[in-house]
Amino acid sequence: MTTAQEARPSTPINADGLLQGAGKLWFIVAALGQGAFIAFILAFYGARTATGDFEGWNEKQLIDGHIAGDDAGNAMFAVHVLLAAVITLGGLLQLMPALRRAFPALHRWTGRAFLVLAYVMALSGAWLTLVRGTFLSEVSAVAILIDAVLILVFASLAWRDAAARRIDSHRRWAMRTFMAVSGVWFLRVGLMGWVVLNQGPVGLNETLSGPTDIVLVFGCYLIPLALLEIYFAAQRAATAPPKILAALMVLAATAFTAVGVFGTVAFMWAPHL
Ligand code: HEM
């Protein structure tokens, strides 16, 4: 059978390969950055929690962290921050096709765990924001709460499609869930990438409400989600130009992600270890 693409005169560029390669490269950079996030959470929060040094959480600049006498808030913070390492690892494992192909049963179980943890993270984060009152500014609280709602909706749709064996649709919702869950990581990468590129905190302030802050608190999930939709659309496209354009956008995002990962590790996490 001749496909529409084979019938067209061939271009010197393998557009599908380029798009796939750009996606893989982004994932490798993101996996390194999320690996560093996991290592930081375990080394900083994990070590202090395991030894009962709960006040030690506040050795890093936090909004609330540990508050003497607030047992419920401290317990919720501990659950939230420690499960952050588990869900980040689970998300990375789910997106590795080789692992998925080699161990399909493991993929199903880590997938269920990832989606349950997505609910737990969104709900515990919303509790910390709304009940404990942990937020820097109203605009940043609204932004992160919208991310929580998106996580709950996307995870539910990913679960529904997996149960109904609609695999293509499940894959798309699962990847959207991954992007929304990674929003808080993207926020750190976005802030530090911006600071590194501008050699300073241009448009940022102490309460996450400066002009750049506002772009980033919403953009930390909306921009990755928009790029993901462009990537999906380019995969479906019948011609090479949209694929090449999307690949270039993903490569630009990869370069920015790499700068942001460098910034988070060098200036946000390593100084606390
Ligand atoms: C789903 C993925 C999420 C991950 C991986 C995650 C990760 C983290 C981490 C690592 C911290 C510790 C703070 C730090 O060291 O910078 C934290 C704190 C916090 N998170 Fe999340 N979080 C997620 C989702 C959310 C959501 C959806 C909300 C709100 C709706 C939220 C609200 C909070 C709050 C209020 C704190 C306490 C900050 C403080 O006391 O300074 N998180 N989170």
Side-chain angles (χ1 to χ4, degrees), residues 99-152:
L99 214 60
R100 194 161 64 221
R101 276 193 298 271
F103 306 104
L106 177 76
H107 176 77
R108 277 195 291 279
W109 279 107
T110 49
R112 287 184 188 111
F114 175 78
L115 293 177
V116 170
L117 285 177
Y119 290 122
V120 175
M121 290 304 292
L123 295 173
S124 57
W127 189 94
L128 287 168
T129 308
L130 292 170
V131 182
R132 199 183 206 198
T134 306
F135 54 86
L136 284 169
S137 59
E138 274 161 21
V139 67
S140 68
V142 168
I144 189 82
L145 286 168
I146 293 175
D147 189 31
V149 172
L150 291 180
I151 292 171
L152 295 174

Side-chain angles (χ1 to χ4, degrees), residues 167-269:
I167 297 309
D168 266 355
S169 180
H170 162 70
R171 188 183 67 91
R172 282 195 297 276
W173 285 116
M175 287 176 73
R176 289 174 187 129
T177 313
F178 173 82
M179 291 300 181
V181 162
S182 301
V184 298
W185 175 80
F186 281 126
L187 178 60
R188 290 158 173 81
V189 168
L191 286 168
M192 296 317 291
W194 179 257
V195 168
V196 170
L197 288 180
N198 290 287
Q199 313 263 302
V202 181
L204 306 176
N205 67 23
E206 295 288 308
T207 58
L208 268 183
S209 58
T212 310
D213 288 309
I214 294 176
V215 171
L216 288 178
V217 289
F218 290 99
C220 67
Y221 50 93
L222 293 179
I223 296 169
L225 284 169
L227 274 172
L228 182 65
E229 294 309 316
I230 291 171
Y231 184 82
F232 287 153
Q235 278 184 323
R236 289 192 303 268
T239 57
K243 293 179 194 288
I244 295 171
L245 195 64
L248 293 176
M249 289 171 86
V250 175
L251 287 175
T254 305
F256 182 75
T257 308
V259 175
V261 165
F262 163 76
T264 53
V265 173
F267 306 118
M268 222 178 216
W269 299 329

